[in-house]
Amino acid sequence: MKLSETSLDTFVETEEILKSLTHTEIGDDHLYTGLETPMKENAFVLSDQEKKESIAQLFAQIMDIMGLDLNDDSLRGTPQRVAKMYIDEIFSGLNPENKPKVALFENKYQYNQMLVEKNITFYSNCEHHFVPIVGKAHVAYISSGKVIGLSKLNRIVQYFAKRPQVQERLTNQIGVELQSLLETEDVAVIIDAKHLCVSSRGIKDDTSATVTSFYGGAFNDPQKITELQQYISG
Ligand SMILES: [Zn+2]
């Protein structure tokens, strides 16, 4: 895959700098350590059911420590609800078994221009604060002879969004996955998102949004980028 050497160098450098900092020094800065979501080797030893039971117990402890009364009717079921939501929904993209199955089709129409699927709404969560990242993804590719169902582009975005994320990694994971599926370098991903850890806490900036992009192959050509931006803004 064509992640440029410069970005690989940057990963390595970032990793070295990170190791030399304490987490208080890192503070609220959202640092990005690599393409792969950092997972333990034994991440899937526990079943989903076992994970939900443990998370529910631990979340009940967090609520209890904060002084909430778990005997209250409104709060009693919260630990189980949170656990189920984490494993089955908002973090279900951590499990490779939940990756969408994608069938490719031959490009019968010989359409060889860029295809843009824009305004794919997604909900993710910031891995530094576990609060939502809400945004739109725009995905584009130029077929190398294979095409993919449009809804699958959407599903791939949702799969990678359903992990604790940083926006840069989300963008690159979608881009690299599409390059591999579509057997082409010519893939672009643009993500425009709001981070609740920025808008609702910390510096409380309610108007800023973060834009990240992944341009592979033909999309490194400034003309192609302009064309893509016209599709997206049109
Ligand atoms: Zn955050």
Side-chain angles (χ1 to χ4, degrees):
M1 269 330 111
K2 196 171 158 190
L3 267 181
S4 70
E5 277 176 35
T6 0
S7 36
L8 285 176
D9 284 349
T10 317
F11 293 164
V12 175
E13 267 171 46
T14 313
E15 217 161 317
E16 277 166 16
I17 296 168
L18 271 180
K19 281 189 184 127
S20 69
L21 293 173
T22 67
H23 91 249
T24 337
E25 283 171 318
I26 293 171
D28 265 358
D29 289 337
H30 288 67
L31 293 164
Y32 168 46
T33 54
L35 176 66
E36 298 298 329
T37 300
M39 298 288 285
K40 301 193 300 177
E41 266 177 36
N42 60 357
F44 300 103
V45 170
L46 293 177
S47 69
D48 281 1
Q49 192 48 39
E50 289 169 321
K51 286 181 184 181
K52 283 184 236 177
E53 282 163 19
S54 296
I55 291 170
Q57 277 177 17
L58 293 166
F59 203 81
Q61 278 187 40
I62 292 177
M63 293 174 70
D64 181 64
I65 291 165
M66 290 195 297
L68 291 164
D69 179 6
L70 281 154
N71 294 314
D72 184 272
D73 278 343
S74 173
L75 298 180
R76 189 179 306 152
T78 299
Q80 286 76 21
R81 277 191 289 269
V82 169
K84 189 173 180 336
M85 176 181 74
Y86 275 13
I87 298 298
D88 293 345
E89 297 172 287
I90 65 175
F91 300 130
S92 59
L94 287 173
N95 190 339
E97 280 182 14
N98 296 328
K99 196 166 175 173
K101 314 269 176 291
V102 172
L104 294 171
F105 308 95
E106 294 301 322
N107 184 5
K108 280 194 289 228
Y109 309 107
Q110 299 297 314
Y111 179 74
N112 56 6
Q113 300 299 310
M114 72 172 75
L115 181 147
V116 184
E117 185 72 4
K118 66 178 184 178
N119 295 327
I120 302 173
T121 301
F122 71 86
Y123 297 87
S124 188
N125 279 273
C126 149
E127 71 179 21
H128 301 115
H129 299 93
F130 274 54
V131 292
I133 301 172
V134 182
K136 300 241 184 260
H138 313 289
V139 173
Y141 72 96
I142 301 166
S143 172
S144 67
K146 303 275 176 205
V147 289
I148 187 176
L150 294 181
S151 69
K152 297 293 182 187
L153 293 172
N154 194 313
R155 281 180 202 282
I156 288 163
V157 169
Q158 308 306 341
Y159 170 68
F160 288 108
K162 286 179 176 171
R163 296 176 172 190
Q165 275 291 10
V166 278
Q167 189 173 326
E168 295 90 327
R169 183 195 295 126
L170 174 62
T171 311
N172 288 342
Q173 285 182 335
I174 296 166
V176 169
E177 177 69 19
L178 288 173
Q179 284 184 326
S180 147
L181 279 172
L182 293 161
E183 297 167 21
T184 176
E185 297 286 320
D186 305 339
V187 167
V189 181
I190 297 175
I191 291 185
D192 184 342
K194 258 180 136 25
H195 294 237
L196 264 69
C197 58
V198 177
S199 55
S200 68
R201 52 160 300 286
I203 61 166
K204 291 202 172 122
D205 181 342
D206 195 28
T207 53
S208 70
T210 307
V211 181
T212 45
S213 58
F214 171 98
Y215 293 130
F219 287 99
N220 286 299
D221 173 359
Q223 253 186 319
K224 279 276 175 246
I225 296 178
T226 311
E227 192 186 333
L228 172 61
Q229 282 165 346
Q230 280 164 353
Y231 279 118
I232 292 172
S233 59

